[in-house]
Amino acid sequence: MQKIEKAFDINGVLLKVFSSLESIKDERKIELIYEMEASIPKELKGDVVVFTRLLTKVLTFVFQNTKTKEIVLSLHAPDDFLYEEFISFKLNDIFIPKERIQDYLENNITKELEILEGKIIYDKDSDVQLNIPFQINELGYRRHYRLPDIGMLGKKVLLISESKKITQSIKKMFTYFLYKVDIGFEEFKKQGNDLSQYDILVIDDCIATDTFEQIVAKVQKKIPIKYVLLRDSHTHEVPHSDAVSTYLIKPVTQESIFELIAALFHNDIQPVANRPEVSKCILDLEKILHKNISVKAEVSSIDNLSSGNLNRIIEKEKELKNPLLNIKQGEENTQKMGLIYTKELKKFVEIFDRSDIYFRQIVNEKASNKIKDFCIDLEKHSKLIGAESMFRFADIVSLIFVYDKLDMLPIYPGKYHIELQNLLEAIRKHLNIKS
């Protein structure tokens, strides 16, 4: 097959690949994150059809076989991208045996690699690395995303999300435009809990609450801060307060950040250095937002974990006192998705009543795939209704697969039986009060 070259936008390809993976992504509850170096040109020349097919095939394989909940595809290129250079596409921490990865790559994508003149790189520091040559579409340009006005450069961002991998990737993309980015509550505390020094506040949609948005609205009357919600592409539209300036939709690409900045500051291009002095705005964001990062989020954000950490994590989990049914949180979750809380409670009872018998059966059968699918389903429904203790239980069972400690599974059917009976009792009690 002949190589057909034409100009294409790398961001468009990444979004198209994401769209083609959306069903398996939702089924397996896996987050796809793009991490793009500043040296990656926006517009390239190459065989975009074959390239798109190659990325889709590789990521589909990874999604079907991984034990992690966050997949980061990193794009790297030389700093001096003059005409034609190799772009590296890397995947790490995907928890698939290297022999299995190598076997798949060598038997399933060689045709595409041959057309693209790319190659598989066998590097001990990467689970997957593919190097593919592309030409730059605009010769001589060093900066590939040009904001309409220089006054849009060099602003300051506070970014708060449960995922460190997402925040690190977004930080890198903001840095392209010479932005200073502080991540999380700790960095905010180091800045004196002073919100007035920031131009943009980006908050993960799953953390934000109606109460917080009311607070932001009051803050915006004192300081000119833009409030951005980071949200999933499939999130149902729900009304938000006027405090929300706009949304940043996942997966985030470099063009997403470019478009976000242009939209936020098209009528306000005054550089930070020339901005009028404003009074300090001290807020304890951690307290206001009721920070509650799950153990799984912590695990997915730490590199090079060893299986010896599992016992430490489980012991830490036991110390947490999570409510059986956080009704307020459940009502907020369902409202954001346009659902009715009591109906979702009834649905949970219908789905999981007597599921402890099924769980014991699949554990006895050592049916790994069935157990993983069961935990994914249990996590999804538990999180939605605010069943925080049950969500943590499913979290721990999932970690057993991440660390390949299946010998620990037999103790969990009994634990699940007790957890389930207590939760169903709490749900039925709430439904009887409502009826």
Side-chain angles (χ1 to χ4, degrees):
M1 185 181 293
Q2 188 177 0
K3 184 178 181 181
I4 302 174
E5 292 190 344
K6 66 176 184 177
F8 65 92
D9 186 331
I10 185 66
N11 301 274
V13 170
L14 295 178
L15 293 178
K16 185 175 182 179
V17 170
F18 172 84
S19 179
S20 67
L21 293 166
E22 200 149 14
S23 60
I24 187 172
K25 168 188 173 297
D26 291 343
E27 178 186 341
R28 307 244 14 236
K29 300 294 176 274
I30 298 173
E31 190 83 57
L32 177 58
I33 303 165
Y34 293 130
E35 185 176 89
M36 304 175 69
E37 295 288 346
S39 55
I40 301 293
K42 173 184 175 181
E43 293 185 346
L44 298 164
K45 282 185 180 178
D47 194 323
V48 64
V49 175
V50 176
F51 171 52
T52 304
R53 185 167 70 240
L54 172 69
L55 278 188
T56 303
K57 287 175 71 172
V58 172
L59 285 170
T60 299
F61 165 77
V62 172
F63 272 57
Q64 289 173 337
N65 294 278
T66 187
K67 296 178 182 179
T68 188
K69 295 299 182 185
E70 291 184 320
I71 300 296
V72 181
L73 176 62
S74 301
L75 283 66
H76 305 264
D79 291 335
D80 293 324
F81 202 118
L82 300 177
Y83 174 63
E84 182 177 79
E85 301 287 351
F86 278 98
I87 294 181
S88 295
F89 300 85
K90 296 182 180 181
L91 294 165
N92 286 322
D93 301 324
I94 57 177
F95 296 101
I96 303 174
K98 283 213 170 187
E99 302 77 24
R100 191 174 179 186
I101 296 171
Q102 182 176 330
D103 180 67
Y104 174 82
L105 296 178
E106 293 177 351
N107 289 286
N108 292 274
I109 65 166
T110 51
K111 182 179 179 181
E112 286 83 3
L113 279 177
E114 183 179 349
I115 294 170
L116 296 169
E117 299 176 2
K119 51 190 177 183
I120 303 168
I121 304 298
Y122 300 98
D123 187 345
K124 65 179 182 180
D125 295 327
S126 298
D127 290 341
V128 175
Q129 181 176 340
L130 304 175
N131 284 8
I132 302 173
F134 290 103
Q135 295 176 11
I136 191 169
N137 192 42
E138 293 182 279
L139 298 179
Y141 289 105
R142 295 302 182 94
R143 297 195 69 81
H144 311 292
Y145 301 85
R146 303 177 190 86
L147 290 169
D149 192 279
I150 194 172
M152 294 181 177
L153 295 169
K155 295 184 182 292
K156 192 170 183 180
V157 181
L158 176 61
L159 175 58
I160 298 177
S161 169
E162 289 191 346
S163 168
K164 287 188 178 180
K165 289 182 178 179
I166 289 177
T167 52
Q168 289 297 334
S169 70
I170 294 176
K171 178 178 181 177
K172 185 172 290 188
M173 295 178 203
F174 268 120
T175 304
Y176 180 96
F177 299 103
L178 310 181
Y179 277 41
K180 169 82 166 62
V181 183
D182 288 338
I183 291 176
F185 300 111
E186 292 304 316
E187 290 193 10
F188 182 57
K189 286 179 182 178
K190 291 177 182 177
Q191 301 301 320
N193 285 338
D194 181 12
L195 204 56
S196 67
Q197 61 188 296
Y198 297 97
D199 299 278
I200 306 174
L201 171 62
V202 182
I203 297 283
D204 203 322
D205 192 24
C206 65
I207 299 176
T209 63
D210 293 339
T211 301
F212 178 67
E213 288 182 4
Q214 293 170 12
I215 293 172
V216 172
K218 293 178 181 178
V219 168
Q220 288 173 327
K221 293 178 181 179
K222 299 178 181 180
I223 61 174
I225 190 168
K226 311 293 185 182
Y227 175 47
V228 178
L229 278 181
L230 176 65
R231 69 189 316 180
D232 293 325
S233 59
H234 63 270
T235 303
H236 294 280
E237 283 293 335
V238 294
H240 282 277
S241 70
D242 293 337
V244 179
S245 304
T246 189
Y247 300 99
L248 182 59
I249 308 299
K250 295 183 282 187
V252 179
T253 65
Q254 188 67 65
E255 192 153 17
S256 304
I257 300 299
F258 167 79
E259 292 174 349
L260 174 70
I261 294 171
L264 289 177
F265 298 106
H266 67 285
N267 289 324
D268 178 15
I269 57 175
Q270 194 171 41
V272 175
N274 298 334
R275 196 173 71 184
E277 287 291 327
V278 294
S279 58
K280 288 187 175 183
C281 184
I282 309 300
L283 287 176
D284 188 342
L285 290 183
E286 183 172 6
K287 183 176 181 181
I288 294 170
L289 289 166
H290 305 294
K291 180 185 175 188
N292 187 20
I293 298 178
S294 71
V295 170
K296 188 194 319 184
E298 175 189 343
V299 170
S300 66
S301 67
I302 300 174
D303 294 329
N304 301 319
L305 283 168
S306 64
S307 61
N309 286 329
L310 180 58
N311 289 329
R312 175 184 61 79
I313 293 167
I314 291 176
E315 288 304 314
K316 180 178 178 181
E317 183 74 353
K318 289 177 180 177
E319 296 173 3
L320 298 175
K321 302 298 181 182
N322 302 118
L324 278 173
L325 193 61
N326 187 334
I327 295 170
K328 181 180 178 181
Q329 186 61 56
E331 288 176 340
E332 287 181 0
N333 293 342
T334 50
Q335 183 183 15
K336 283 182 179 181
M337 297 183 67
L339 303 172
I340 299 172
Y341 185 54
T342 53
K343 286 187 176 180
E344 294 307 310
L345 289 177
K346 292 175 182 177
K347 184 187 293 186
F348 185 94
V349 174
E350 291 172 3
I351 293 173
F352 291 100
D353 189 19
R354 300 180 66 80
S355 63
D356 50 340
I357 298 174
Y358 172 72
F359 183 64
R360 184 179 296 278
Q361 177 185 336
I362 58 179
V363 168
N364 290 339
E365 293 173 355
K366 298 181 180 179
S368 299
N369 289 334
K370 289 182 180 180
I371 298 169
K372 284 189 282 188
D373 290 341
F374 178 81
C375 288
I376 290 169
D377 204 32
L378 182 61
E379 284 183 17
K380 179 180 73 173
H381 288 281
S382 298
K383 185 173 184 179
L384 178 64
I385 66 172
E388 295 181 1
S389 183
M390 182 63 82
F391 179 80
R392 303 295 180 250
F393 173 86
D395 244 355
I396 288 179
V397 179
S398 296
L399 289 175
I400 288 172
F401 287 96
V402 170
Y403 288 99
D404 196 22
K405 303 288 286 185
L406 301 184
D407 56 313
M408 297 179 66
L409 272 175
I411 68 172
Y412 283 93
K415 292 177 181 289
Y416 178 60
H417 171 76
I418 296 171
E419 191 77 39
L420 179 66
Q421 295 309 308
N422 290 338
L423 176 57
L424 293 179
E425 183 180 346
I427 291 174
R428 288 172 176 139
K429 181 178 178 181
H430 178 72
L431 291 174
N432 287 335
I433 292 172
K434 283 287 184 180
S435 61

